[in-house]
Amino acid sequence: MIINCQCQFIVLDKRPYRESALICSGISPDYGKISFVIHGAQKLSEKSFPKADLFRELELEFSDDGKAKELYTAKNVEVLTSFDDIANEPRNFKMAGRIASFLLKNTQIDQPQLFVYGALRSVLANLANMDCGHEPWTLEQCAVVVKCAYLSDNGLLPEGQTEQQNEFLENLVSAGADNEPLPACSPQYWNILNNWLNSIIEFHHLKR
């Protein structure tokens, strides 16, 4: 049975398709990695602009026949949040690109990614220098937030050696998803944590 679905979606990659369409790939909280054909997305005029652009959060509709697949045809596309200002800072834009590549390479289709989606949205807001109600996260903190969220959502984040470490990781994942102030620790510890997460990623043979 075919049903009409609605979802939120962050664009992490876009490619031209036929005359005026785009194939946009990205992350949805409910469907994991997913791609949409968006017809007319390349058309430009004084009254319109390409809604489906890189690092934009969209809300759209599509028809689902219940068979897990990566590519759908989008309908009624609306922009929820634009993170376009990331492009104003080359270092931030490069970091956003690395995060996008990691998620697209490793996220499975039809597998919910609630923490990943929240973390991605939060990180893009910080990289775009939006007013988040707290000090902007550093690039290393952004990387740590996404890696922790991904490993947590996919059952790959190991427990800490102490209750204090477990509480820290839980607070980190939660704060990252909700764009709240991150747990306090020294810059050196963020570097140690990032290297530890990288070792877990390598252990599970994830692509980077």
Side-chain angles (χ1 to χ4, degrees):
M1 180 177 66
I2 297 177
I3 59 175
N4 290 324
C5 300
Q6 187 177 55
C7 79
Q8 294 176 343
F9 168 74
I10 295 179
V11 181
L12 298 180
D13 182 67
K14 66 173 186 176
R15 300 181 184 183
Y17 179 69
R18 295 182 177 175
E19 293 184 0
S20 62
L22 289 174
I23 293 181
C24 294
S25 301
I27 300 297
S28 162
D30 300 315
Y31 297 91
K33 178 181 176 181
I34 193 169
S35 298
F36 293 98
V37 175
I38 303 180
H39 293 286
Q42 294 189 71
K43 290 182 178 179
L44 291 171
S45 70
E46 294 181 357
K47 296 182 179 180
S48 65
F49 61 95
K51 293 181 179 179
D53 212 345
L54 198 61
F55 304 133
R56 286 186 178 175
E57 182 184 33
L58 309 178
E59 185 173 73
L60 45 77
E61 297 177 3
F62 64 100
S63 297
D64 187 3
D65 61 3
K67 299 177 181 178
K69 57 184 179 181
E70 187 175 336
L71 185 62
Y72 297 87
T73 299
K75 300 178 289 184
N76 301 324
V77 180
E78 296 294 336
V79 177
L80 295 179
T81 313
S82 171
F83 302 104
D84 294 3
D85 286 348
I86 291 175
N88 295 336
E89 296 285 345
R91 292 176 69 244
N92 291 7
F93 188 79
K94 183 177 180 180
M95 173 59 73
R98 291 174 62 185
I99 290 171
S101 177
F102 173 79
L103 292 178
L104 289 175
K105 288 177 181 177
N106 296 292
T107 306
Q108 301 299 312
I109 64 173
D110 204 34
Q111 184 171 326
Q113 299 287 310
L114 299 179
F115 283 125
V116 168
Y117 189 85
L120 175 60
R121 194 180 188 284
S122 299
V123 163
L124 293 179
N126 279 269
L127 293 177
N129 292 314
M130 292 181 172
D131 184 4
C132 299
H134 56 75
E135 287 294 317
W137 300 341
T138 67
L139 296 184
E140 187 158 52
Q141 287 173 330
C142 287
V144 166
V145 164
V146 170
K147 292 170 188 175
C148 272
Y150 176 86
L151 293 172
S152 178
D153 259 343
N154 293 279
L156 302 176
L157 185 64
E159 293 187 0
Q161 296 181 348
T162 66
E163 284 299 320
Q164 185 178 12
Q165 289 177 345
N166 286 331
E167 183 178 358
F168 179 90
L169 290 173
E170 289 175 4
N171 291 339
L172 174 57
V173 171
S174 177
D178 295 331
N179 201 3
E180 296 178 346
L182 300 176
C185 62
S186 68
Q188 292 79 8
Y189 188 74
W190 286 110
N191 183 252
I192 292 171
L193 185 55
N194 193 27
N195 290 333
W196 177 66
L197 294 170
N198 287 337
S199 68
I200 298 171
I201 287 170
E202 291 177 4
F203 176 80
H204 291 288
H205 304 292
L206 298 175
K207 299 177 181 179
R208 299 175 63 185

